[in-house]
Amino acid sequence: MEHDVRQFDGENTGDTGEIIKQLTFLNTQEGLQQCMDDEDFYLDIVSTFVEDNVLEDMQTCYLGNDWSGYRVKVHALKSSSAYIGAEELRAKAKRMEDAAKQEDVEYINMNHHHLVAMYEDLLRNITAVLPKRINLEASSQIKQFTIFVVDDSRLNRQVVVEVLSNTYNIEEAASGQEFFQQLEEGILPDLVLLDVHMPRENGHDIIGKLKADERYVHIPVVFMTHDNDLSTELQGFKEGAVDFITKPLNPALLMARINRILDLYYLQSKLQEEIQIRTQAILDKTQQMTIMFEEIIQALANTIDAKDKYTKGHSDRVSKYSVMIGKQLGYTEMQLLRLKYAALLHDIGKIGIPDGIINKTGPLTDEEFEMVKTHPVIGGDILKTITSVKDIYDGAMYHHEHYDGSGYPEGLYGKGIPEIARIINVADSYDAMTSHRSYRGMLTQEKVRSELEKGLGSQFDPIIGSIMLQIIDDDFGFTLHE
Ligand SMILES: [Fe+2]
């Protein structure tokens, strides 16, 4: 249907009030309210109502008995009528929508022609009053965000453009197909305003596709719906929508909601990005510090081993065996790390024992042996300042304590000896027996095993000692030695 529309001088806005007064068949007060009392805006909407009418589509559906299509069309008519304040037509369209929903064909047949006549009358009446509008250029300010409005109703899209285009870049699509085509062409919106009810792909289908695509999954989607019911909203939220806006769109509300969502969403993602950057920086620093810490401990362990020419690599091996035991005890990564450091430094007190005694080839005198026995206390003294990892102190101080209380320096016994020291004691003894010494060669695996077994409950914690026995039994080729 062709409508005669007169040319309108866009700058001559003084006429708008007069024109609106002539629209006596509309509730213009209601319509203006929807348009923030902006008369130009309202006339734009009314003129779109005429240009974008669904009369033909409605007829086609009616004649083809396509009731779901008919429902979509009368639904669109209902909402566009509400926008412009065409109350009677809106009420009539609503009754027809309900009938189409229930496929009440009898009711539709009885009322369709009346609806068409009302609709045509209204279009004619508006056309008689309304001059053609000229779209004014949107403001040229820099717009940071792009909003994509996907709606089969041009009128709805136009409301969005009118309300938001001064603040945001607006892209439009009348269908899911058109929308995805534009995304493929490279438009990446910051927010999608999505109509729920559309022919072919509806809003649920579209959001499903968006959320399944990693390129678009992060874009916030706001549903526009007439269904003011909880189940549609719940379904929408489940599908990943961030908010709902009910139609007919209230301009002030639309603007406020969109602003809030963009603020919140992008502030949040910026914050997350910032947190990620800072966390990474801390992790990098921590990793550097850990590496440095390990290097220092390793250097100290090397210093101890360098002093004793007969026990080269002793600290490394004790550390290795201790960690093997710790793993069998179910230690966490962090516990294993502390055990490793403690074992590496267990003999640090030997620094305080004269070289002549440490490297003596013959047997030690009682006096010399008493001096050697002071190395745990010297070690404890050196390490007592490391309070953040107490295990390191415990390892050095108590690794010569015996399970039955016969060890030194304090004669602690049983579980009174820190576990870490009980582990190091077993590992230390194992390495002593499997290393070459100035006064003897390396013992056989069998001999080592029987010595350890003998010491269960006396020198060694029986559980930890048994774990070491198991490690020996698993070491078929006797590979664990100096
Ligand atoms: Fe020692």
Side-chain angles (χ1 to χ4, degrees), residues 449-462:
R449 195 189 188 288
S450 78
E451 287 295 316
L452 256 172
E453 207 168 13
K454 239 190 279 172
L456 292 186
S458 51
Q459 178 177 346
F460 308 120
D461 177 317

Side-chain angles (χ1 to χ4, degrees), residues 314 346-347 350 375-376 399-400 408 428:
H314 172 67
H346 76 281
D347 263 347
K350 282 194 176 163
H375 82 271
H399 72 277
H400 283 290
Y408 59 88
D428 189 19

Side-chain angles (χ1 to χ4, degrees), residues 22-303:
Q22 293 174 53
L23 297 168
T24 49
F25 40 86
L26 295 177
N27 184 341
T28 52
Q29 211 179 340
E30 181 77 24
L32 272 165
Q33 211 173 357
Q34 305 260 17
C35 298
M36 295 180 290
D37 288 323
D38 181 333
E39 292 180 336
D40 275 327
F41 180 13
Y42 177 58
L43 285 185
D44 276 346
I45 295 290
V46 175
S47 123
T48 303
F49 179 85
V50 175
E51 287 164 27
D52 225 30
N53 73 77
V54 293
L55 198 54
E56 249 176 42
D57 293 345
M58 218 169 76
Q59 288 282 42
T60 308
C61 293
Y62 176 73
L63 295 172
N65 293 324
D66 170 8
W67 303 124
S68 73
Y70 190 80
R71 183 183 159 190
V72 171
K73 293 304 157 193
V74 288
H75 173 89
L77 177 60
K78 181 189 77 178
S79 58
S80 58
S81 303
Y83 273 125
I84 63 167
E87 289 172 321
E88 239 180 298
L89 187 60
R90 189 200 64 79
K92 184 82 185 163
K94 174 160 184 356
R95 285 194 294 276
M96 291 301 262
E97 187 192 1
D98 292 342
K101 203 187 287 185
Q102 290 149 16
E103 297 212 5
D104 186 349
V105 180
E106 202 185 336
Y107 183 89
I108 297 173
N109 281 334
M110 271 168 55
N111 290 278
H112 174 72
H113 297 292
H114 182 218
L115 175 71
V116 170
M118 272 175 80
Y119 195 2
E120 280 180 335
D121 266 356
L122 183 63
L123 291 173
R124 227 184 338 264
N125 287 336
I126 295 172
T127 311
V129 176
L130 203 70
K132 189 171 176 63
R133 307 284 299 171
I134 294 168
N135 265 342
L136 294 169
E137 277 285 302
S139 121
S140 61
Q141 73 181 94
I142 297 165
K143 295 163 194 165
Q144 200 187 351
F145 292 116
T146 298
I147 293 172
F148 214 128
V149 52
V150 187
D151 197 322
D152 59 320
S153 148
R154 190 181 145 208
L155 199 132
N156 264 326
R157 297 200 305 274
Q158 200 191 348
V159 172
V160 173
V161 171
E162 291 275 356
V163 176
L164 300 176
S165 64
N166 277 341
T167 317
Y168 302 112
N169 298 306
I170 308 292
E171 297 290 343
E172 296 176 57
S175 68
Q177 194 193 5
E178 217 177 275
F179 173 55
F180 283 107
Q181 198 178 329
Q182 292 194 57
L183 289 187
E184 287 303 330
E185 282 165 12
I187 293 173
L188 192 67
D190 299 290
L191 185 143
V192 176
L193 264 171
L194 187 55
D195 184 26
V196 176
H197 298 293
M198 280 186 286
R200 289 180 299 279
E201 280 180 301
N202 65 28
H204 300 294
D205 301 328
I206 293 171
I207 194 172
K209 273 169 129 180
L210 278 176
K211 294 298 165 192
D213 192 324
E214 61 172 20
R215 290 172 296 173
Y216 312 126
V217 65
H218 64 281
I219 303 171
V221 175
V222 177
F223 270 135
M224 298 179 289
T225 175
H226 286 275
D227 304 322
N228 213 348
D229 75 292
L230 200 62
S231 67
T232 305
E233 291 205 5
L234 277 177
Q235 191 190 345
F237 284 125
K238 264 188 212 150
E239 289 163 343
V242 296
D243 205 349
F244 273 82
I245 291 177
T246 28
K247 290 200 233 172
L249 300 170
N250 174 308
L253 201 67
L254 176 65
M255 188 68 172
R257 283 274 178 86
I258 297 298
N259 286 345
R260 187 181 58 87
I261 292 164
L262 283 172
D263 277 358
L264 209 77
Y265 195 83
Y266 286 94
L267 196 73
Q268 202 175 37
S269 72
K270 229 180 127 68
L271 210 70
Q272 268 167 353
E273 213 172 280
E274 187 72 10
I275 289 170
Q276 226 161 16
I277 290 168
R278 289 187 185 206
T279 309
Q280 193 52 51
I282 291 168
L283 282 177
D284 289 348
K285 268 256 159 10
T286 311
Q287 204 175 11
Q288 276 175 16
M289 295 295 286
T290 308
I291 290 170
M292 200 168 81
F293 186 65
E294 279 208 29
E295 283 172 347
I296 291 170
I297 288 189
Q298 192 64 54
L300 279 170
N302 294 345
T303 310

Side-chain angles (χ1 to χ4, degrees), residues 372-437:
V372 169
K373 278 168 74 178
T374 61
H375 82 271
V377 175
I378 297 171
D381 247 12
I382 293 171
L383 298 175
K384 70 178 179 219
T385 49
I386 307 180
T387 50
S388 57
V389 190
K390 190 175 171 291
D391 291 339
I392 290 179
Y393 168 85
D394 286 345
M397 184 70 180
Y398 301 116
H399 72 277
H400 283 290
E401 298 288 2
H402 288 180
Y403 197 72
D404 61 3
S406 64
Y408 59 88
E410 292 184 7
L412 301 180
Y413 65 92
K415 305 264 188 271
I417 308 164
E419 187 171 76
I420 218 132
R422 281 179 269 142
I423 295 171
I424 294 170
N425 179 265
V426 171
D428 189 19
S429 303
Y430 177 83
D431 187 59
M433 292 188 279
T434 54
S435 300
H436 295 273
R437 286 291 151 97

